[in-house]
Amino acid sequence: MEALDGVAKGAGAVTTLTHHCLCEEEGIKAIRDAAAEHSLDGVLIAACSERSKREAFKGFEADDKGLYRVSLREQVAWSHPAGEEDTRMLAEDLVRMGVARLKKTVATQPADEKVDDTVLVVGGGRAGMEAAIAAAGLGHPVVLVEAAAQLGGHLATLSSLLPVRAPYAAPQPNDTPQLVKKVLAESRIRVLTSSKIKCITGQPGQFDVEVSTSDGSSSLRVGAIVQATGAKSYDPKRLGHLGYGKSPDVITSQELETMLVRGAVACPSNGNPPKRMIFIQCAGSRDPDHLPYCSSECCATTLRQVSGIRSAHPGIETVVVYRDMRTPGQLERFYLAVQEQGGVLLTRGETERVEANGNLQVHLKESLLGDAAVLDADLVVLATGMVPNSADGEQIRALIDARKRAETSESQAQRQESKELAGKLAHHEGTEILNLVYRQGPDMPTLRYGFPDSHFICFPYETRRTGIYAAGALHAPMDAAQAAEDGWGAAMKAVQCIEAAKRHEAVHPRAGERTVPDFFLQRCTQCKRCTEECPFGTLNEDEKGTPQLQALRCRRCGICLGACPERIISFPDYSVDMVASMIKAIEVPEEYDEKPRVLALLCENDALPALDAAAARRRQWNPWVRVIPIRCLGSTNIVWIAEALGRGIDGMILIGCKYGDDYQCHYVRGSELANTRLGNVGETLQRLALEAERLKLVQLAHDEFERIPEILDEFAKELEGIGPNPLKGF
Ligand code: SF4
Ligand code: SF4
């Protein structure tokens, strides 16, 4: 320990303090006393991982002190043999790196924001109404905007709902009218029907919203937004092979619902009640040519309709052809109850086609009734899937940008292309819902099937527009009970966001973070990399392309910091200069044979916890590795690579989250952006006579902690094969 005291002082620490338990009251007091005695600006804690005991050390930020923690327990004591020279050098480097970073840290100045408490809910279906009730119940004023003339949405049109109470044996009455009454009776909820959002500007806590209403327009200031604009049925006109459009007696579940509400199930061709009805499940769903996904509630909806028909019209024989009957949770009991009801045949099979030759013939293949069975029916019901009522704002924005570029291009071919782009844009025009005045587009970005994205593994309600939360069938296919829960979940997130905005704090994943990036705009070249790459639409642009920070939208990922070629974006406690100083603080021995050096930049979200978990299991890894935790792989600035390899560090490994549509990257695009940006670095390294293999990128999930020591060891071994960095010693 004394040796480390000397290292810390050598690196610039004013004083050091050793205590058997720094996170206990006595330890905290000792740190505070030392800070007061020496008028310290910051405190470096060289003990356990920064991920442990956060609450114990939180007070230092409140005291306006810089704080940085070096993980001697996980990265040294638990993972490397005691008493060895390599272990000692590792500990010394970590302390030096910590002091270097702390010296560049500016204490956070807490700021309080004037924030509006109102929650705006867009969409008055089940999820929207439940979100409004939830937020109002927590004391928040709510404005509920619905495009239709009445509240209730799709569910208001149903004859009954799925059972939600034991014994789950029969459909339950549709309680939507009671829910509508409850909303209308709640004094904190202002309902605007026949209304649409004209535009939204601002940021969480301070959104300004223009609503066009039936009698003019209304201006609102709100703190957070829940979008619950639901879903529509898949267009059955695309299902000609299943007979839709060829015979009036092929209908959708929604069309059958209208008959059930009227109490009369009849063949549209002749008005007679059918003798036999066939329900075709997955009509256009789980089909790469139509909807590739499962809408999750159509099987249960069919069972509900069959149950209703068997009770009200026992003379009608019902057949259900399914690919897999998907009835999750307690709905499995409902499935059993319908089977026991009698008069219903449920059979597995693929529906190849439906032919209309007088009567309807349903052609099955690979069915339980035979490999190629044909069933006659008077009425066929197609269980069509759900398509979200979303608008992909990013795609609209990309089309606008591409058209602008093409229009102003000198090339004839490109100008021609602008016409095609205008056509594509016209296809999207009018689909806008939120009309966000954001640089990155008028609505939330969506995933490949059109649902606004969320980090479904870790933060299911967070979207890529801070303070705006998707709920209900817009969020994912779901039934009424799930939509109600989803509405509550989204409302809780909206309230949480408003409270965080009051304290000027970030929401997930850096919940509680109070710093925001600072842009030294005098040196900005308006290259627009930051405004284009920010995954959260935080930055607007002025006419010249200069970024305009909307601080409360910021998730503090640092991706802009990694993107900026001018290196003019910094956080008070995280900057290009700070990490570069840490790299400079690593001692790089000249005699390579004994002491190669490897720099590992580890994303704090998955890779760092995985390393801590490996250490907790006493896994060991190569002692040449020096770890710097970073906010996101996307925050990696190319300068850090130049700094490390230029100083003779033999190789650099960057470990980030998995990316792609099913991403785990906590900042959605960070890990992917790092891969794209660093993809070309190999060539640059080769020009410097450095092997491209000295730089490695790895994607790792939090639970792959067994792999991380192996990954580090393997990379160290690969570097041994490559040999020493030729820049060593220069
Ligand atoms: S820190 Fe992240 S969220 Fe904030 S402006 Fe930069 S890229 Fe956007
Ligand atoms: S990346 Fe840097 S230089 Fe480019 S627009 Fe943003 S702040 Fe300006």
Side-chain angles (χ1 to χ4, degrees):
M1 272 303 163
E2 274 172 29
L4 288 182
D5 281 358
V7 170
K9 284 191 177 144
V14 173
T15 186
T16 58
L17 147 73
T18 305
H19 195 276
H20 70 280
C21 188
L22 287 168
C23 59
E24 268 185 358
E25 210 178 308
E26 202 187 294
I28 301 281
K29 183 175 176 311
I31 301 171
R32 283 228 159 88
D33 290 347
E37 185 187 340
H38 298 278
S39 307
L40 301 181
D41 297 317
V43 177
L44 176 76
I45 295 176
C48 57
S49 162
E50 61 177 63
R51 299 180 56 257
S52 307
K53 303 281 179 185
R54 278 194 176 147
E55 284 303 311
F57 298 115
K58 216 175 172 189
F60 293 103
E61 283 149 33
D63 286 353
D64 213 6
K65 299 259 177 288
L67 176 76
Y68 187 66
R69 295 176 60 191
V70 164
S71 172
L72 286 189
R73 186 179 69 177
E74 282 78 0
Q75 289 181 33
V76 183
W78 280 356
S79 50
H80 294 85
E84 297 207 351
E85 191 192 18
D86 276 340
T87 307
R88 177 184 58 76
M89 291 177 90
L90 168 63
E92 289 177 359
D93 266 350
L94 288 181
V95 169
R96 263 190 294 270
M97 290 155 76
V99 175
R101 177 162 176 156
L102 194 57
K103 277 160 72 181
K104 301 274 177 177
T105 300
V106 183
T108 312
Q109 298 298 328
D112 287 322
E113 289 284 345
K114 198 164 166 29
V115 159
D116 196 288
D117 264 339
T118 309
V119 175
L120 169 70
V121 179
V122 184
R126 172 74 44 144
M129 289 193 290
E130 295 282 5
I133 287 169
L138 288 169
H140 286 258
V142 177
V143 181
L144 176 53
V145 174
E146 166 59 45
Q150 280 105 26
L151 295 179
H154 164 70
L155 293 183
T157 66
L158 303 186
S159 55
S160 59
L161 296 180
L162 293 169
V164 289
R165 275 179 283 281
Y168 305 95
Q172 66 168 49
N174 189 345
D175 60 359
T176 307
Q178 289 90 310
L179 188 61
V180 171
K181 269 192 201 149
K182 195 171 167 186
V183 170
L184 295 174
E186 169 57 62
S187 59
R188 288 196 187 90
I189 304 176
R190 179 180 165 204
V191 176
L192 299 174
T193 47
S194 305
S195 299
K196 286 193 170 175
I197 305 294
K198 234 197 262 175
C199 68
I200 298 177
T201 55
Q203 55 182 345
Q206 301 161 356
F207 286 115
D208 289 312
V209 185
E210 290 294 319
V211 186
S212 71
T213 61
S214 50
D215 50 6
S217 65
S218 189
S219 301
L220 316 166
R221 173 156 271 222
V222 304
I225 299 166
V226 173
Q227 184 182 345
T229 44
K232 52 187 165 293
S233 187
Y234 182 66
D235 183 1
K237 292 193 195 83
R238 297 185 180 185
L239 300 174
H241 64 295
L242 298 180
Y244 196 89
K246 292 186 181 151
S247 164
D249 296 334
V250 177
I251 60 172
T252 63
S253 352
Q254 184 59 43
E255 287 161 348
L256 174 63
E257 203 64 44
T258 313
M259 293 183 188
L260 290 170
V261 169
R262 279 206 313 262
V265 177
C267 298
S269 61
N270 54 22
N272 295 332
K275 287 196 184 71
R276 181 195 262 180
M277 291 174 68
I278 298 185
F279 291 78
I280 299 177
Q281 296 309 109
C282 298
S285 293
R286 301 165 66 203
D287 178 341
D289 294 331
H290 297 278
L291 296 182
Y293 54 88
C294 167
S295 285
S296 84
E297 64 79 60
C298 350
C299 285
T301 291
T302 291
L303 293 174
R304 178 177 61 75
Q305 293 181 330
V306 165
S307 175
I309 289 167
R310 294 302 307 149
S311 306
H313 313 277
I316 302 177
E317 186 191 336
T318 50
V319 179
V320 180
V321 181
Y322 61 87
R323 278 156 73 189
D324 308 282
M325 187 54 79
R326 291 184 168 176
T327 47
Q330 304 292 5
L331 289 174
E332 191 68 10
R333 296 181 183 213
F334 182 46
Y335 178 25
L336 292 174
V338 174
Q339 287 177 55
E340 282 163 13
Q341 217 169 339
V344 50
L345 172 71
L346 293 128
T347 181
R348 194 167 195 281
E350 287 279 335
T351 306
E352 215 174 12
R353 64 185 189 282
V354 175
E355 285 179 1
N357 299 317
N359 213 350
L360 297 169
Q361 283 103 42
V362 179
H363 290 252
L364 306 182
K365 61 175 184 178
E366 294 169 23
S367 83
L368 294 177
L369 303 171
D371 188 31
V374 181
L375 301 178
D376 287 331
D378 308 303
L379 190 62
V380 165
V381 183
L382 304 180
T384 47
M386 288 186 202
V387 179
N389 287 322
S390 61
D392 189 336
E394 272 195 354
Q395 200 184 346
I396 295 175
R397 174 70 205 204
L399 284 168
I400 293 171
D401 284 353
R403 189 184 58 172
K404 239 189 235 166
R405 273 196 304 274
E407 274 171 356
T408 50
S409 165
E410 309 240 308
S411 127
Q412 177 70 25
Q414 281 227 351
R415 284 206 303 278
Q416 180 58 31
E417 199 188 311
S418 81
K419 282 192 193 137
E420 279 168 38
L421 289 164
K424 279 191 194 159
L425 199 53
H427 178 70
H428 284 279
E429 264 164 1
T431 63
E432 299 90 340
I433 297 165
L434 297 179
N435 285 301
L436 301 169
V437 185
Y438 279 34
R439 189 257 173 262
Q440 292 189 358
D443 273 281
M444 288 200 274
T446 62
L447 292 174
R448 64 181 170 230
Y449 302 139
F451 295 92
D453 70 342
S454 64
H455 197 294
F456 65 92
I457 297 175
C458 303
F459 332 116
Y461 292 101
E462 289 297 351
T463 69
R464 276 203 264 159
R465 297 296 174 257
T466 310
I468 307 177
Y469 303 96
L474 168 82
H475 188 192
M478 59 181 73
D479 64 26
Q482 289 169 314
E485 267 181 27
D486 216 49
W488 276 74
M492 296 298 140
K493 290 300 298 184
V495 167
Q496 194 183 52
C497 176
I498 290 172
E499 294 306 317
K502 285 180 188 165
R503 300 187 298 268
H504 206 276
E505 287 179 1
V507 294
H508 277 339
R510 287 189 73 83
E513 168 75 55
R514 304 187 101 189
T515 63
V516 288
D518 179 45
F519 290 66
F520 185 66
L521 290 177
Q522 288 92 323
R523 278 191 20 226
C524 174
T525 57
Q526 284 98 19
C527 71
K528 301 187 184 178
R529 287 203 198 157
C530 57
T531 54
E532 279 168 9
E533 291 195 359
C534 169
F536 302 105
T538 302
L539 303 164
N540 282 354
E541 270 170 22
D542 67 10
E543 319 75 63
K544 287 191 196 148
T546 313
Q548 296 175 319
L549 178 72
Q550 304 281 315
L552 292 170
R553 288 186 206 161
C554 179
R555 301 282 252 278
R556 284 70 157 179
C557 59
I559 288 175
C560 51
L561 174 157
C564 180
E566 299 300 316
R567 305 191 294 281
I568 58 174
I569 307 174
S570 309
F571 286 85
D573 58 352
Y574 187 63
S575 68
V576 176
D577 185 28
M578 212 171 273
V579 175
S581 303
M582 291 175 86
I583 297 170
K584 281 193 196 113
I586 300 170
E587 281 202 345
V588 184
E590 284 183 25
E591 13 26 298
Y592 168 81
D593 288 350
E594 293 166 28
K595 315 283 175 208
R597 285 291 172 261
V598 181
L599 177 63
L601 297 186
L602 259 54
C603 160
E604 66 182 11
N605 295 300
D606 271 25
L608 191 67
L611 192 76
D612 282 356
R617 285 162 179 77
R618 303 301 191 271
R619 300 283 186 273
Q620 300 212 335
W621 57 85
N622 191 296
W624 308 334
V625 178
R626 303 293 180 261
V627 170
I628 298 183
I630 56 173
R631 291 188 178 193
C632 171
L633 222 53
S635 70
T636 306
N637 195 289
I638 231 96
V639 160
W640 298 340
I641 298 165
E643 184 66 51
L645 298 181
R647 294 198 69 244
I649 287 177
D650 298 283
M652 201 166 158
I653 184 163
L654 286 80
I655 310 184
C657 304
K658 302 206 165 179
Y659 60 83
D661 235 13
D662 300 333
Y663 59 83
Q664 295 184 345
C665 176
H666 288 54
Y667 297 109
V668 187
R669 295 168 65 197
S671 184
E672 190 171 7
L673 280 167
N675 270 265
T676 314
R677 286 189 211 141
L678 301 180
N680 302 326
V681 173
E683 278 174 34
T684 317
L685 294 183
Q686 277 167 346
R687 276 203 297 278
L688 295 170
L690 289 171
E691 299 78 359
E693 293 75 24
R694 290 190 188 276
L695 181 68
K696 185 169 187 171
L697 274 94
V698 176
Q699 293 177 51
L700 185 98
H702 180 286
D703 58 0
E704 293 178 293
F705 49 82
E706 295 287 0
R707 269 187 69 209
I708 198 164
E710 287 164 22
I711 291 169
L712 296 173
D713 288 350
E714 271 166 28
F715 185 54
K717 205 154 185 215
E718 282 162 30
L719 290 172
E720 267 191 290
I722 299 170
N725 178 343
L727 302 177
K728 214 177 268 288
F730 281 96

